[in-house]
Amino acid sequence: LSSPWRALLQRALDANAHLKHSTFFQLATVGGGGRPANRTVVFRGFQEHSDKIQINTDARSNKIGEIKEWPLGEICWYFTDSWEQFRISGIIDVMDGSSPDPAKLQQRERAWFASSVKSRLQCLGPSPGVPVANDDHVKDVHIDPSAGPVDAYCLLTLDPEKG
């Protein structure tokens, strides 16, 4: 049974679906030294049979270590056409290739294959946070669409707090 806010969020997603940026939201976490860390991420759907929000990311990014150390997070999602804002707090689970849980590894693989090839290619580029002068590095990168997740691919799920 899903939470009452989920129906409202789904209605906002549907109403704003014509806007590419409607799937972008801000994810705030606790960064190094206890300082706030905020970044824009892309909504990748809800985990099956739950209200957990899925986010693809690069395991090489700083946020992975920060989240593993302090797994609390909050998303802030603003829909420009309907003027709605959602703030959802919860615990973030990091699912990378080192997970000992077979169910989490399967979930990570399902999310990988649900992503576009273009999205998957981002995990083969330069490490996040490294300045890139141009797109030349992308031209020579190829990925087998039938191959499973690369090491740099990480799935995050935010499990919303109840209440």
Side-chain angles (χ1 to χ4, degrees):
L1 197 65
S2 63
S3 301
W5 59 264
R6 182 164 168 181
L8 296 172
L9 177 58
Q10 189 62 57
R11 189 175 67 209
L13 280 163
D14 293 343
N16 291 270
H18 63 284
L19 301 169
K20 183 177 172 75
H21 66 267
S22 69
T23 59
F24 300 171
F25 58 86
Q26 279 58 55
L27 172 64
T29 58
V30 179
R35 297 185 58 81
N38 195 20
R39 76 280 295 158
T40 301
V41 294
V42 180
F43 176 62
R44 298 298 179 172
F46 292 99
Q47 182 179 326
E48 283 184 282
H49 312 295
S50 81
D51 290 331
K52 293 181 180 180
I53 294 168
Q54 297 189 138
I55 304 159
N56 290 346
T57 194
D58 192 314
R60 301 170 294 174
S61 70
N62 291 337
K63 71 178 154 286
I64 300 305
E66 294 169 355
I67 292 169
K68 284 181 176 181
E69 186 174 329
W70 195 260
L72 298 174
E74 181 173 271
I75 65 173
C76 184
W77 207 331
Y78 183 71
F79 294 94
T80 55
D81 267 17
S82 57
W83 292 22
E84 293 170 279
Q85 177 175 283
F86 292 83
R87 289 180 54 197
I88 304 166
S89 297
I91 302 293
I92 302 171
D93 194 8
V94 175
M95 287 173 248
D96 57 20
S98 69
S99 176
D101 184 342
K104 288 184 179 184
L105 291 173
Q106 286 179 333
Q107 183 181 347
R108 175 179 175 259
E109 186 171 281
R110 278 194 304 272
W112 170 261
F113 284 115
S115 300
S116 69
V117 172
K118 184 177 181 181
S119 175
R120 295 182 215 172
L121 281 171
Q122 291 184 345
C123 292
L124 296 176
S127 291
V130 174
V132 178
N134 56 45
D135 288 347
D136 288 347
H137 64 280
V138 178
K139 293 176 186 165
D140 297 327
V141 177
H142 300 285
I143 192 165
D144 177 355
S146 64
V150 297
D151 290 343
Y153 173 70
C154 186
L155 174 67
L156 303 177
T157 57
L158 182 129
D159 188 3
E161 292 176 345
K162 309 299 181 251

